[in-house]
Amino acid sequence: MIKLAILGSTGSIGTQCLKVLENLNKKNIEVVAMSCGHNFELFKKQVKKFKPKFTASLTNKENELNNHFTGEDGIKKIIELSKPDYIMMGISGSIGLKYSLFALDYCKRLCLANKETIVCGGDYFIKSAKLKKVEIIPVDSEHSSIFQTLLGDVKPKEIFLTASGGALRDYSYEEILNAKLEDVLNHPVWNMGKRITIDSASMVNKGLEVIEASYLFDFPENKIKTYICRNSMIHGGAIYSDGTMKFHIGKPDMKIPIAYSLTYPDRILSENNKVPLDKIDLNLLKIEKEKYPALTIAREICGIHSYQIAYNSADEEAVKMFLNNKIKFFQINIIISKTLEMIPKLYDLNYEDIFKIESMSRKIANEVKL
Ligand code: MG
């Protein structure tokens, strides 16, 4: 019996993880703990159905459920008490790093959907995971695809990951400059949280993913190629020295990588996910650099720990400003680059430094003069 804790159960990853568990319909995964942020009504329904022993939320509703803990410490407490074998890390944003680091002391496998854990945690996180012998299984669809492609083979020359191109992929450069919030939130393929949808349109998301792939698979950024795949059917792959290319292809459905992270090395999910082979378009497109400056910036800073933190934090702040109609869409890029100019270039950060740089970056991002 595998004991599973799901952190962020009411979010996009969490809700799909619960659907996967229903589909698996296997008696060998038991949900022992669940946490949510503020969506307590949905959370109560989930708890009723999955009956975890321990629950936590960021609300102040201590008394509404049995064994319910609140606040950041509450989330840590349920990890401690439930002693899970696996943790599904579905909390979004850089706050996720704190819980991921904490989780390393308690679980054998971290199913990682929180890319900030890698981007902001950098070497500190990767080294801690190795030291504590915790398996990191990526849930992000592109990284899951590369993870699977690399199994049982020599190291390829290059890896690649794809982007849908986001909501603005058919906009001209001029149109992107004037994109409205509702245009940006209208993602062509994936239905996800607001920040990641905006990050898809700016390709900050792809930038974070290049950095994530660099750490997870140990490739420099120039060996990680990025292309647009309009139907999001090709998620990623590898290119070998003999010219062989392996593509990972599948329906764009997050339940597939979520299930794989839980059942690896098995594949147990049984949904009608097959796409007829003659319907698969293998056409990958080049990414126009001019439209997506944030991707170029991410490549330039990949491997520089303090810059990675600043890149992510500045984006989190800029996205909030954009959601509140305080800035234009394209100014997200400017806030990121101006924040980076003010941050010292530092490697090998420790725990305290990581969070110091993080709050420094947020402050700077909010003070950028546009
Ligand atoms: Mg992704």
Side-chain angles (χ1 to χ4, degrees), residues 285-353:
L285 307 168
K286 256 195 177 160
I287 296 177
E288 291 170 62
K289 276 189 171 181
E290 189 191 39
K291 286 190 184 179
Y292 304 104
L295 178 57
T296 308
I297 299 174
R299 288 187 173 283
E300 285 163 5
I301 60 140
C302 182
I304 306 168
H305 197 172
S306 60
Y307 286 178
Q308 292 176 184
I309 300 167
Y311 179 89
N312 180 70
S313 310
D315 177 67
E316 279 188 26
E317 293 305 309
V319 166
K320 271 187 233 162
M321 293 178 218
F322 178 61
L323 281 169
N324 292 323
N325 280 314
K326 291 203 177 119
I327 59 167
K328 284 188 174 176
F329 173 67
F330 215 66
Q331 289 177 321
I332 294 173
N333 301 300
I334 298 169
I335 290 180
I336 294 172
S337 65
K338 291 212 171 180
T339 302
L340 283 165
E341 282 170 19
M342 307 289 286
I343 293 291
K345 186 178 189 177
L346 301 168
Y347 299 84
D348 279 325
L349 300 176
N350 63 26
Y351 189 90
E352 285 74 29
D353 295 336

Side-chain angles (χ1 to χ4, degrees), residues 8 25 51 80 83 110 116 123 135 144 182 236 248 365 369:
N25 201 16
K51 301 183 180 60
E80 229 177 308
K83 300 187 178 59
L110 187 62
E116 296 83 355
D123 285 324
E135 257 182 322
S144 175
E182 59 267 29
H248 181 284
K369 297 263 179 297

Side-chain angles (χ1 to χ4, degrees), residues 73-351:
D73 289 339
I75 296 177
K76 290 179 178 170
K77 186 98 188 158
I78 62 164
I79 299 176
E80 229 177 308
L81 290 171
S82 66
K83 300 187 178 59
D85 300 300
Y86 295 1
I87 295 180
M88 175 60 66
M89 183 58 210
I91 293 175
S92 60
S94 59
I95 186 74
L97 171 61
K98 277 191 189 168
Y99 302 118
S100 294
L101 284 167
F102 187 81
L104 293 181
D105 282 321
Y106 295 90
C107 67
K108 292 183 221 135
R109 176 181 296 184
L110 187 62
C111 306
L112 190 61
N114 176 274
K115 49 196 102 192
E116 296 83 355
T117 292
I118 306 279
V119 172
C120 302
D123 285 324
Y124 180 80
F125 176 78
I126 296 288
K127 281 180 196 161
S128 306
K130 275 193 188 134
L131 193 75
K132 290 168 185 173
K133 299 194 171 65
V134 176
E135 257 182 322
I136 305 296
I137 311 292
V139 172
D140 208 345
S141 57
E142 297 80 359
H143 303 80
S144 175
S145 78
I146 296 168
F147 177 84
Q148 295 175 51
T149 311
L150 298 183
L151 291 172
D153 208 333
V154 296
K155 192 166 178 168
K157 222 169 80 182
E158 286 172 351
I159 53 176
F160 72 92
L161 46 91
T162 65
S164 66
L168 309 181
R169 63 187 183 188
D170 295 323
Y171 283 43
S172 67
Y173 175 70
E174 287 70 28
E175 285 168 333
I176 290 180
L177 291 182
N178 295 307
K180 300 269 174 303
L181 181 58
E182 59 267 29
D183 305 329
V184 178
L185 288 178
N186 187 18
H187 196 282
V189 186
W190 300 97
N191 184 9
M192 311 172 286
K194 271 187 187 160
R195 180 188 172 213
I196 187 167
T197 304
I198 295 170
D199 285 350
S200 292
S202 63
M203 285 217 193
V204 165
N205 184 51
K206 220 38 63 182
L208 294 171
E209 289 184 354
V210 167
I211 298 171
E212 193 186 0
S214 167
Y215 282 85
L216 281 173
F217 308 118
D218 196 22
F219 280 89
E221 66 73 32
N222 61 353
K223 300 287 179 206
I224 305 168
K225 305 296 174 194
T226 41
Y227 299 95
I228 287 182
C229 174
R230 289 185 67 90
N231 54 23
S232 294
M233 212 79 100
I234 303 163
H235 308 292
I239 300 155
Y240 292 83
S241 55
D242 63 356
T244 297
M245 289 177 268
K246 288 188 185 173
F247 283 32
H248 181 284
I249 300 171
K251 205 169 130 183
D253 179 346
M254 280 310 292
K255 293 201 287 306
I256 303 172
I258 289 171
Y260 188 71
S261 75
L262 292 170
T263 63
Y264 159 80
D266 271 334
R267 296 179 189 274
I268 299 177
L269 188 72
S270 60
E271 269 190 0
N272 193 14
N273 272 325
K274 238 174 79 190
V275 182
L277 278 173
D278 55 1
K279 294 273 183 307
I280 295 170
D281 179 3
L282 292 179
N283 201 14
L284 294 180
L285 307 168
K286 256 195 177 160
I287 296 177
E288 291 170 62
K289 276 189 171 181
E290 189 191 39
K291 286 190 184 179
Y292 304 104
L295 178 57
T296 308
I297 299 174
R299 288 187 173 283
E300 285 163 5
I301 60 140
C302 182
I304 306 168
H305 197 172
S306 60
Y307 286 178
Q308 292 176 184
I309 300 167
Y311 179 89
N312 180 70
S313 310
D315 177 67
E316 279 188 26
E317 293 305 309
V319 166
K320 271 187 233 162
M321 293 178 218
F322 178 61
L323 281 169
N324 292 323
N325 280 314
K326 291 203 177 119
I327 59 167
K328 284 188 174 176
F329 173 67
F330 215 66
Q331 289 177 321
I332 294 173
N333 301 300
I334 298 169
I335 290 180
I336 294 172
S337 65
K338 291 212 171 180
T339 302
L340 283 165
E341 282 170 19
M342 307 289 286
I343 293 291
K345 186 178 189 177
L346 301 168
Y347 299 84
D348 279 325
L349 300 176
N350 63 26
Y351 189 90

